[in-house]
Amino acid sequence: FHLTGAGEGIMSSLMNVGLMVTFLVSPLFQGRIKKMKMIMVSTIILTVALLICGFAGTAIIFGIGSIVLGIGSGFLDGYMNSTLIDLYPEDSTKPMGLLHGFYGIGSLVMPLILQALLLWFVWRGAYYLVAALFVIVAVFIVVLNGKIEKAGGLKETEEQKLKFADIKNYFSKKTNIVMFLYAILAAMAQAGIVSWVVRFVTLKYNAEATGALCVTIFWLAATVNRFLMPK
């Protein structure tokens, strides 16, 4: 789209806008919509977002697709974590480590896969291919959920509808405020490093492919860390 300078980082920035939207909206669904349904919805949102990006004729449409991509990612990540805690209420540490470890593996290999795909496809083709992959994932989750329902359903923790008083009570504790601020800073650091390193090697060394390698190395360390942290 012939963007230059800070405009080149627009996708990452707008994806993070979408993630912030899920942060604000997700509590409204608590006690109202089952988590497995939200996981299914998130895969559909991601598929639509990828198709919007792939078909985008202008940077504005591409930006809208990026926001939707962030919303789908935020819902999927949040509800997968929450569902896992429901499944292992007594000791969720190891399963959580595995979940994020596998997430790290996906993040580790995907830049390399996309780099290889771009040798055969234009960039739009990569979006279509990943969208098709999400369709397969969505069908798998629907089938799996059907089997779970037949077996008695997923034993989700019963949650009361969130009220403003609950939010006020949460932020009345200093520890929660500190954790909240830390989460924001951690997300800023990760997004900043991943976005910056690709642009840096492209401008400094004219080696765009090396940017994908740098992101892969980042996720390699992150993946090892996620498997080790629970232990």
Side-chain angles (χ1 to χ4, degrees):
F1 298 108
H2 307 293
L3 298 174
T4 57
E8 292 178 349
I10 195 69
M11 187 186 77
S12 296
S13 299
L14 291 177
M15 276 187 65
N16 288 328
V17 169
L19 288 168
M20 285 189 284
V21 169
T22 63
F23 169 76
L24 296 171
V25 172
S26 291
L28 302 177
F29 298 145
Q30 184 176 312
R32 293 176 173 87
I33 302 177
K34 286 189 175 182
K35 295 171 186 175
M36 276 301 293
K37 285 186 178 179
M38 286 304 300
I39 290 175
M40 285 188 279
V41 168
S42 65
T43 59
I44 296 170
I45 293 174
L46 284 165
T47 303
V48 171
L50 289 163
L51 290 174
I52 291 173
C53 289
F55 283 106
T58 65
I60 293 174
I61 300 299
F62 189 82
I64 293 171
S66 298
I67 294 173
V68 179
L69 199 62
I71 292 172
S73 300
F75 279 140
L76 186 63
D77 188 30
Y79 280 98
M80 282 178 69
N81 282 287
S82 184
T83 302
L84 195 64
I85 292 172
D86 286 347
L87 290 170
Y88 300 94
E90 301 299 327
D91 183 17
S92 61
T93 307
K94 290 181 180 178
M96 194 69 75
L98 284 173
L99 173 66
H100 287 276
F102 282 117
Y103 178 88
I105 290 173
S107 302
L108 172 68
V109 300
M110 202 59 192
L112 297 179
I113 292 173
L114 288 174
Q115 197 69 36
L117 286 174
L118 290 175
L119 297 175
W120 302 91
F121 299 101
V122 295
W123 64 268
R124 295 181 187 275
Y127 276 96
Y128 302 150
L129 197 63
V130 180
L133 179 63
F134 263 104
V135 171
I136 295 171
V137 171
V139 171
F140 173 77
I141 291 174
V142 169
V143 172
L144 181 64
N145 188 56
K147 291 184 177 181
I148 292 172
E149 290 295 331
K150 284 183 179 179
L154 182 68
K155 294 180 180 178
E156 294 186 7
T157 302
E158 290 292 330
E159 294 181 332
Q160 294 182 348
K161 294 178 181 179
L162 195 69
K163 299 176 183 176
F164 179 75
D166 298 321
I167 299 174
K168 185 178 179 181
N169 181 57
Y170 179 85
F171 285 107
S172 66
K173 299 176 183 177
K174 291 182 179 179
T175 304
N176 290 343
I177 294 174
V178 172
M179 290 297 292
F180 176 77
L181 293 174
Y182 173 75
I184 292 174
L185 292 171
M188 287 170 64
Q190 179 174 305
I193 290 169
V194 172
S195 300
W196 171 81
V197 72
V198 176
R199 178 164 168 76
F200 174 75
V201 296
T202 301
L203 293 179
K204 181 75 175 178
Y205 301 108
N206 194 29
E208 189 176 355
T210 307
L213 179 62
C214 290
V215 174
T216 296
I217 293 171
F218 173 89
W219 282 110
L220 174 62
T223 301
V224 172
N225 185 56
R226 287 174 173 188
F227 278 116
L228 287 177
M229 280 302 293
K231 297 184 182 297

